[in-house]
Amino acid sequence: MSGTQYIPHILYSTALTSISMHLLWQRKTADEDRARFKAQTSILQDLIEQLRSGKSISDEEITKSRNLARIHGGGKQPLDKERTNIGWMDVLWGRKTPADLGVSDEWERKDLEQIRKEIEAEN
C-alpha cells in the first residue's frame, strides 16, 4: 500500500509535463509562423519597392517573387493534410510506403535495367 501514496504526485507531474510540452510546441509553432510571415512580407515589400521605384522588372521576376512568397506562406499545408489522414492502423502498425507495397523507385528500375543489359551483354 506504500505505492498508492505516490499516485497523486505521479499524476501531477505527468499533467505538468504534458502542459509544458504543449506550451513549448505552441511557442515554437508561433515562432515559425512569425518567421514565415516576416519572410513573406519582406519578399513582397521588396517587390513593391522595385515597382514603385520605376525599375523595369520582367514578368518572370515578378512571378518568381510571388511564387517565393506563396511557398513561404503555404509551405506547411500539404504536410498537415497528410498528417490528418493517419488512422489507428497506421499508428499501431506503421504507414506503408510505396516501396513496401512493391512499387519500385525510378532509380532502382534504371539500375536493374542497366544490370540486366550488362548481364545480357556478357552472355
Side-chain angles (χ1 to χ4, degrees):
M1 291 305 253
S2 64
T4 58
Q5 66 185 0
Y6 297 117
I7 290 178
H9 298 291
I10 292 171
L11 290 176
Y12 296 146
S13 63
T14 303
L16 185 62
T17 304
S18 175
I19 290 170
S20 63
M21 292 300 290
H22 177 71
L23 290 175
L24 178 66
W25 179 76
Q26 289 291 331
R27 186 184 313 151
K28 285 187 177 192
T29 302
D31 289 344
E32 289 174 0
D33 288 344
R34 194 175 304 116
R36 189 175 64 240
F37 291 135
K38 281 184 182 179
Q40 184 179 17
T41 303
S42 173
I43 291 167
L44 294 175
Q45 287 292 339
D46 289 342
L47 186 60
I48 288 170
E49 289 176 13
Q50 289 177 358
L51 290 173
R52 285 187 180 161
S53 69
K55 281 186 178 178
S56 62
I57 302 172
S58 66
D59 289 337
E60 183 179 311
E61 189 174 338
I62 292 173
T63 305
K64 280 183 187 178
S65 297
R66 288 179 58 200
N67 287 340
L68 185 60
R70 187 176 303 128
I71 287 170
H72 281 293
K76 292 198 171 197
Q77 290 176 353
L79 293 175
D80 291 339
K81 287 180 183 176
E82 288 177 7
R83 289 185 183 155
T84 58
N85 294 332
I86 297 176
W88 281 107
M89 294 302 289
D90 292 336
V91 170
L92 296 175
W93 304 111
R95 182 170 276 184
K96 299 287 185 201
T97 62
D100 293 337
L101 298 174
V103 179
S104 333
D105 191 24
E106 181 180 346
W107 292 104
E108 289 179 14
R109 280 188 272 133
K110 287 181 179 180
D111 288 342
L112 287 173
E113 289 175 17
Q114 183 180 6
I115 291 170
R116 278 189 204 134
K117 288 178 182 177
E118 290 175 1
I119 291 173
E120 289 175 0
E122 290 176 1
N123 293 335

